[in-house]
Each structure stands twice: as structure tokens, then as C-alpha cells.
Amino acid sequence: MSKLTNVWVFSDNLDRYAELLAGARQWGAQVNAVVQSDDAITTVKPLGADALYVLAEKSALQRIENYAETLVSLIEKPAVASSPTTLILLPATKRAKALAARLGVLLGASIVNDVTSLSVSDEGTFAEHRMYGGLAFGREKMLTPIAIVTLAPGAVEPIAANPAHDCPVYQASYVTPRQEILCQERRAKSLSSVDLSKAKRVVGVGRGLVSQSDLDMVQELATLLGAEVGCSRPIAEGEHWMERERYIGVSGVLLKSDLYLTLGISGQIQHMVGGNGAKTIVAINKDKNAPIFKYADYGLVGDIYKVVPALIEQLNR
């Protein structure tokens, strides 16, 4: 068995469908995409699904966990099997993981979260995922007829849209769950438009940055390089100098960039789990013994407050 019989794809974020459907096409013979509204059809249909299902819009549906029973009604339960024939593929977001948990209970399905790779062969279906805070990878064999996977961002190269692709579109009736989760109030939150998993060049900053105002210097360098700015966990979750979406590392973004330039990042394994996917890593750090130099293709021992202005000056010539 080189492919699973059916793969079902659903996401709470339209931007993740290209990546999810790329994986689904690798691992499944029949690929079915499910979207939340008619507005999503034009975005998802060109991405190569064999069938597209549109969930009935309902004003009370503020949380995707409410779709669990509806998705179960669409998925034909396979006969008893010692390995999966059907895969449900979701993004590794908080809401999708909550949905995965509900689906797992309703379908009696095995679940693996934050999957970085999936293999399907005659030996079985195996999911690799990060564990122990990114210090190691676990490889799990999935044994239930239906398997559920939440895919880590950047794990698969997104599929290119093909405007000529066509597939049947079906409307799915909403199945009210036994306990529906309703949203009583919504409050605006600042959102980041960046998706580092798709960036071709990334400049990353770490604890070597002294103050938040110094991000202006980093941004100027990134602009000259045509790069996005990312960071290590302390910058996003400790200092709160940057958005959570820019955090590179375990439970953060996995880079697939052509270039990753690190500035003042020590290179602990928890961070390099996210940075190792870059094709070329360039490290600048004043500590010659920093672990980052073990991963870097090119390294420079130096103070970023001297090196970065010099780079900016040269690039401006």
C-alpha cells in the first residue's frame, strides 16, 4: 500500500489549504477538501482536490469544534483494519487540535499532533512529530482504520494553484452537536500578515538584541535583503517584542526558506528544530562557542551592533 484510500482535508485558515492538499495528494488516492463557506471555493478548488464539500453556514458557528459531527457524517467509516485507510488532515492550530480531539472520540481514531512528516507503505502508516520540547522526534505507527493528523506549518511544500482544475462541489448539511460551543463575544486582536513558512529569506533575532527599538535596524537589513523578520521564543513570548506568528522553533514555525540569517541567536535545539529546514543558514554571534555555529553553513563571530550597520551600509551602495 503506497497510498491511503481517502484523505479528508479541513482547515480553519484558508492559507493552509495549499500545504495540506499537497500532503494529501502525496498520501491519498482520493482527496476530499472541506471548506466552511462558498467564499472559500474559488481559493481551494484550484489546489487539486478530487471533491469539494461546503459546510452549511450558520451564524452560531463561531468555533470549528462544532463541525465535528458534520465531518463525521461525511466520512465513510472503513471496515475494521489494522492500519489506516482513511486520513483526516488538519493544520496544527489550537482550534484544529480541539476539533481533532472531538473527531478522535467520535470516530475512535488515533491522533498525532504537530506532525512533520508522514509515510505510507506496506509496513504501515507512520507519523513523525516533535517531542520533549523539540529535543527529539517521535515516530508513531497509526493502527486505527481512521487516522487524524495535525500538520506542522512548513512540513510540506505548498501545492501550486491550477486555475484550470475542476472538481465536483457538494453542499453538506449541518449536524448539530450534542453540546454546541457558542461564541458570546468577539474582541479584535492584532493579527500578523506574515507566514514565515512561505518566506524565501528570513532574518531571525534572539537574545542578542538589547532593546525593542533595535528591531528597526533588523527590519532595515531585512528590507534590503527582501526578507521577513522572525525571532527566537524569548523575543516573542518572553519580551513580547514581536508577534507569536514570528516565533521560529518548537511549537512555532518550521522554515523552508532559501536563506536564514540569524542575529544574536544562540542556536539551542528548541530553536533549530524550526530553523534547520532552511537551505542556507548564516549565523552572526559574538560568542564563538554558541551552538548556532554547529548548524550554520556560514558563521561570523562578531557583535551584531557592529556587523548589521556595516551590512546595511554595504547593501545601500
Side-chain angles (χ1 to χ4, degrees), residues 104-156:
V105 172
L106 293 171
L107 294 168
S110 53
I111 304 172
V112 181
N113 285 317
D114 299 303
V115 169
T116 55
S117 68
L118 192 78
S119 61
V120 181
S121 67
D122 292 334
E123 296 179 358
T125 299
F126 296 86
E128 188 172 283
H129 64 106
R130 293 171 286 184
M131 57 192 300
Y132 303 130
L135 294 174
F137 285 86
R139 189 169 184 261
E140 314 295 342
K141 185 175 184 179
M142 309 185 81
L143 302 175
T144 54
I146 299 177
I148 302 173
V149 158
T150 64
L151 193 68
V156 179

Coordinates of all heavy atoms in Angstrom, one line a residue, residues 104-156:
G104 N -11.5 12.4 17.1 CA -10.9 11.2 17.6 C -11.8 10.4 18.5 O -11.9 9.1 18.4
V105 N -12.6 11.1 19.4 CA -13.6 10.4 20.2 C -14.7 9.8 19.4 O -15.1 8.7 19.6 CB -14.1 11.4 21.3 CG1 -15.2 10.7 22.1 CG2 -13.0 11.8 22.3
L106 N -15.3 10.6 18.5 CA -16.4 10.2 17.7 C -16.1 9.1 16.8 O -17.0 8.2 16.5 CB -17.0 11.4 16.9 CG -17.6 12.5 17.8 CD1 -17.9 13.7 16.9 CD2 -18.8 12.1 18.5
L107 N -14.9 9.0 16.3 CA -14.5 8.0 15.3 C -13.7 6.9 15.8 O -13.3 5.9 15.1 CB -13.8 8.7 14.1 CG -14.6 9.7 13.3 CD1 -13.6 10.5 12.4 CD2 -15.6 9.0 12.4
G108 N -13.3 7.0 17.1 CA -12.4 6.0 17.6 C -11.0 6.0 16.9 O -10.5 4.9 16.6
A109 N -10.6 7.2 16.5 CA -9.4 7.3 15.6 C -8.1 7.7 16.4 O -8.2 8.4 17.4 CB -9.7 8.3 14.5
S110 N -7.0 7.2 16.0 CA -5.7 7.7 16.5 C -5.4 9.1 16.0 O -5.7 9.4 14.9 CB -4.6 6.7 16.1 OG -4.6 6.5 14.7
I111 N -4.7 9.8 16.9 CA -4.4 11.2 16.6 C -2.9 11.5 16.9 O -2.4 11.0 17.9 CB -5.2 12.2 17.5 CG1 -6.7 12.0 17.3 CG2 -4.8 13.7 17.1 CD1 -7.5 12.8 18.3
V112 N -2.2 12.2 16.0 CA -0.9 12.6 16.2 C -0.8 14.1 15.9 O -1.2 14.5 14.7 CB 0.2 11.8 15.4 CG1 1.6 12.4 15.7 CG2 0.1 10.4 15.7
N113 N -0.4 14.9 16.8 CA -0.3 16.4 16.6 C 1.1 16.8 16.2 O 2.1 16.2 16.5 CB -0.7 17.1 17.9 CG -2.2 17.1 18.1 OD1 -3.0 17.3 17.2 ND2 -2.6 16.8 19.4
D114 N 1.1 18.0 15.5 CA 2.4 18.6 15.2 C 3.3 17.7 14.3 O 4.5 17.6 14.5 CB 3.2 19.1 16.4 CG 2.4 20.1 17.2 OD1 2.0 21.2 16.7 OD2 2.1 19.9 18.4
V115 N 2.7 17.1 13.4 CA 3.4 16.1 12.5 C 4.3 16.8 11.5 O 3.9 17.8 10.9 CB 2.4 15.2 11.8 CG1 3.1 14.4 10.7 CG2 1.7 14.3 12.8
T116 N 5.5 16.4 11.4 CA 6.5 17.0 10.5 C 6.7 16.2 9.2 O 7.1 16.7 8.2 CB 7.8 17.2 11.2 OG1 8.3 15.9 11.7 CG2 7.7 18.2 12.3
S117 N 6.3 14.9 9.3 CA 6.4 14.0 8.1 C 5.5 12.8 8.3 O 5.2 12.4 9.4 CB 7.8 13.6 7.8 OG 8.3 12.7 8.7
L118 N 5.0 12.3 7.2 CA 4.1 11.1 7.2 C 4.5 10.2 6.1 O 4.9 10.6 5.0 CB 2.6 11.5 7.0 CG 1.6 10.5 7.2 CD1 1.3 10.4 8.8 CD2 0.2 10.9 6.5
S119 N 4.6 8.9 6.4 CA 5.0 7.9 5.4 C 3.9 6.8 5.4 O 3.4 6.3 6.4 CB 6.4 7.3 5.7 OG 6.3 6.6 7.0
V120 N 3.6 6.4 4.2 CA 2.6 5.3 4.0 C 3.3 4.2 3.1 O 3.7 4.5 2.0 CB 1.4 5.9 3.2 CG1 0.3 4.8 3.0 CG2 0.7 7.0 4.0
S121 N 3.3 3.0 3.6 CA 3.9 1.9 2.9 C 3.2 0.6 3.3 O 2.3 0.6 4.1 CB 5.4 1.8 3.2 OG 5.6 1.5 4.6
D122 N 3.7 -0.5 2.8 CA 3.1 -1.8 3.1 C 3.4 -2.1 4.6 O 2.7 -3.0 5.2 CB 3.8 -2.9 2.2 CG 3.3 -2.8 0.8 OD1 2.2 -2.2 0.6 OD2 4.1 -3.2 -0.1
E123 N 4.4 -1.5 5.2 CA 4.7 -1.7 6.6 C 3.7 -1.0 7.5 O 3.7 -1.3 8.7 CB 6.1 -1.3 6.9 CG 7.2 -2.1 6.1 CD 8.6 -1.6 6.4 OE1 8.7 -0.6 7.2 OE2 9.5 -2.2 5.9
G124 N 3.0 0.0 7.0 CA 2.0 0.7 7.8 C 2.1 2.2 7.5 O 2.9 2.7 6.7
T125 N 1.4 3.0 8.3 CA 1.4 4.4 8.3 C 2.1 5.0 9.5 O 1.7 4.7 10.6 CB -0.1 5.0 8.2 OG1 -0.7 4.4 7.0 CG2 -0.1 6.5 8.1
F126 N 3.1 5.8 9.3 CA 3.9 6.3 10.4 C 3.9 7.8 10.3 O 4.1 8.4 9.3 CB 5.4 5.8 10.3 CG 5.5 4.3 10.4 CD1 5.3 3.4 9.3 CD2 5.7 3.7 11.7 CE1 5.5 2.1 9.5 CE2 5.9 2.3 11.8 CZ 5.7 1.5 10.7
A127 N 3.7 8.4 11.5 CA 3.8 9.9 11.6 C 4.9 10.3 12.5 O 5.1 9.7 13.6 CB 2.5 10.4 12.2
E128 N 5.7 11.2 12.0 CA 6.9 11.7 12.8 C 6.5 13.1 13.4 O 5.9 13.9 12.7 CB 8.1 11.8 11.9 CG 9.4 12.2 12.7 CD 10.6 12.1 11.9 OE1 11.1 11.0 11.6 OE2 11.1 13.2 11.5
H129 N 6.8 13.3 14.6 CA 6.4 14.5 15.3 C 7.5 14.9 16.3 O 8.2 14.1 16.8 CB 5.0 14.4 16.0 CG 5.0 13.4 17.1 ND1 5.0 13.7 18.4 CD2 5.1 12.0 17.1 CE1 5.1 12.6 19.2 NE2 5.1 11.6 18.4
R130 N 7.4 16.2 16.7 CA 8.4 16.7 17.7 C 7.9 16.3 19.1 O 6.8 16.2 19.4 CB 8.5 18.2 17.6 CG 9.1 18.7 16.3 CD 9.0 20.2 16.1 NE 7.6 20.6 15.8 CZ 7.2 21.8 15.6 NH1 8.1 22.8 15.6 NH2 6.0 22.1 15.3
M131 N 8.9 16.1 19.9 CA 8.6 15.7 21.3 C 9.7 16.2 22.2 O 10.8 16.6 21.8 CB 8.4 14.2 21.5 CG 9.6 13.3 21.0 SD 9.2 11.6 20.9 CE 8.7 11.2 22.5
Y132 N 9.5 16.1 23.5 CA 10.4 16.6 24.6 C 10.9 18.0 24.3 O 12.1 18.3 24.3 CB 11.6 15.6 24.7 CG 11.2 14.2 25.0 CD1 11.7 13.2 24.2 CD2 10.4 13.9 26.0 CE1 11.4 11.9 24.5 CE2 10.0 12.6 26.3 CZ 10.5 11.6 25.6 OH 10.2 10.3 25.8
G133 N 10.0 18.9 23.9 CA 10.3 20.3 23.7 C 11.2 20.5 22.5 O 12.0 21.4 22.4
G134 N 11.1 19.6 21.5 CA 11.9 19.7 20.3 C 13.3 19.0 20.4 O 14.1 19.0 19.5
L135 N 13.6 18.4 21.5 CA 14.9 17.7 21.7 C 15.0 16.4 20.9 O 16.0 15.9 20.7 CB 15.1 17.4 23.2 CG 15.3 18.6 24.1 CD1 15.4 18.2 25.5 CD2 16.5 19.4 23.7
A136 N 13.8 15.9 20.5 CA 13.8 14.6 19.8 C 12.5 14.5 18.9 O 11.6 15.4 19.0 CB 13.8 13.4 20.8
F137 N 12.5 13.6 18.0 CA 11.4 13.3 17.2 C 10.8 11.9 17.5 O 11.6 11.0 17.6 CB 11.7 13.4 15.7 CG 11.9 14.8 15.2 CD1 13.2 15.4 15.3 CD2 10.9 15.5 14.6 CE1 13.4 16.7 14.8 CE2 11.1 16.8 14.1 CZ 12.3 17.4 14.2
G138 N 9.5 11.8 17.6 CA 8.9 10.5 17.8 C 8.3 10.0 16.5 O 7.9 10.8 15.6
R139 N 8.4 8.7 16.3 CA 7.8 8.1 15.1 C 6.7 7.1 15.6 O 7.0 6.1 16.2 CB 8.9 7.4 14.3 CG 8.4 6.9 12.9 CD 9.6 6.4 12.1 NE 9.2 6.1 10.8 CZ 9.1 4.8 10.4 NH1 9.3 3.8 11.2 NH2 8.8 4.5 9.1
E140 N 5.5 7.4 15.2 CA 4.3 6.7 15.7 C 3.7 5.9 14.6 O 3.5 6.4 13.5 CB 3.3 7.6 16.4 CG 3.8 8.6 17.3 CD 4.5 8.0 18.5 OE1 4.2 6.9 18.9 OE2 5.3 8.8 19.2
K141 N 3.4 4.6 14.9 CA 2.7 3.8 13.9 C 1.2 3.9 14.2 O 0.8 3.7 15.4 CB 3.1 2.3 13.9 CG 2.4 1.5 12.9 CD 3.0 0.1 12.9 CE 2.4 -0.8 11.7 NZ 2.9 -2.1 11.7
M142 N 0.4 4.3 13.2 CA -1.0 4.5 13.5 C -1.8 3.2 13.1 O -1.6 2.7 12.0 CB -1.5 5.7 12.6 CG -0.6 6.9 12.9 SD -1.2 8.5 12.1 CE -2.4 9.0 13.2
L143 N -2.6 2.8 14.0 CA -3.2 1.4 13.9 C -4.7 1.4 13.7 O -5.2 0.3 13.4 CB -2.9 0.6 15.2 CG -1.4 0.4 15.5 CD1 -1.2 -0.3 16.9 CD2 -0.7 -0.3 14.4
T144 N -5.4 2.5 13.9 CA -6.8 2.5 13.7 C -7.2 2.7 12.2 O -6.4 3.3 11.4 CB -7.5 3.6 14.5 OG1 -6.8 4.9 14.2 CG2 -7.3 3.4 16.0
P145 N -8.4 2.3 11.8 CA -8.8 2.4 10.4 C -8.8 3.8 9.9 O -8.6 4.1 8.8 CB -10.2 1.8 10.4 CG -10.2 0.8 11.5 CD -9.4 1.4 12.6
I146 N -9.2 4.8 10.8 CA -9.1 6.2 10.5 C -8.0 6.8 11.4 O -7.9 6.6 12.6 CB -10.5 6.9 10.8 CG1 -11.6 6.3 10.0 CG2 -10.4 8.4 10.6 CD1 -13.0 6.9 10.3
A147 N -7.2 7.6 10.7 CA -6.1 8.3 11.4 C -6.3 9.8 11.3 O -6.8 10.3 10.3 CB -4.7 7.9 10.9
I148 N -6.0 10.6 12.3 CA -6.1 12.0 12.3 C -4.7 12.6 12.6 O -4.1 12.3 13.5 CB -7.1 12.5 13.4 CG1 -8.5 11.8 13.2 CG2 -7.2 14.0 13.4 CD1 -9.5 12.1 14.3
V149 N -4.4 13.6 11.7 CA -3.1 14.2 11.8 C -3.2 15.7 11.8 O -4.0 16.2 10.9 CB -2.2 13.8 10.7 CG1 -1.0 14.7 10.4 CG2 -1.6 12.4 11.0
T150 N -2.6 16.4 12.7 CA -2.5 17.9 12.6 C -1.1 18.2 12.1 O -0.1 17.8 12.7 CB -2.8 18.7 13.9 OG1 -1.8 18.3 14.9 CG2 -4.2 18.3 14.4
L151 N -1.0 18.9 10.9 CA 0.3 19.0 10.2 C 1.0 20.3 10.7 O 0.4 21.4 10.6 CB 0.1 19.0 8.7 CG 1.3 18.9 7.8 CD1 1.9 17.5 8.0 CD2 0.9 19.2 6.4
A152 N 2.3 20.2 11.1 CA 3.0 21.4 11.5 C 3.2 22.3 10.3 O 3.4 21.9 9.2 CB 4.4 21.0 12.1
P153 N 3.2 23.7 10.5 CA 3.4 24.6 9.4 C 4.8 24.4 8.8 O 5.8 24.3 9.5 CB 3.3 26.0 10.0 CG 3.5 25.8 11.5 CD 3.0 24.4 11.8
G154 N 4.9 24.4 7.5 CA 6.2 24.3 6.8 C 6.6 22.8 6.6 O 7.7 22.6 6.0
A155 N 5.8 21.9 7.0 CA 6.2 20.5 6.9 C 6.2 20.0 5.5 O 7.0 19.1 5.1 CB 5.3 19.6 7.8
V156 N 5.3 20.6 4.6 CA 5.2 20.2 3.2 C 5.2 21.4 2.4 O 4.7 22.5 2.7 CB 3.8 19.4 3.0 CG1 3.7 19.0 1.6 CG2 3.7 18.2 3.9

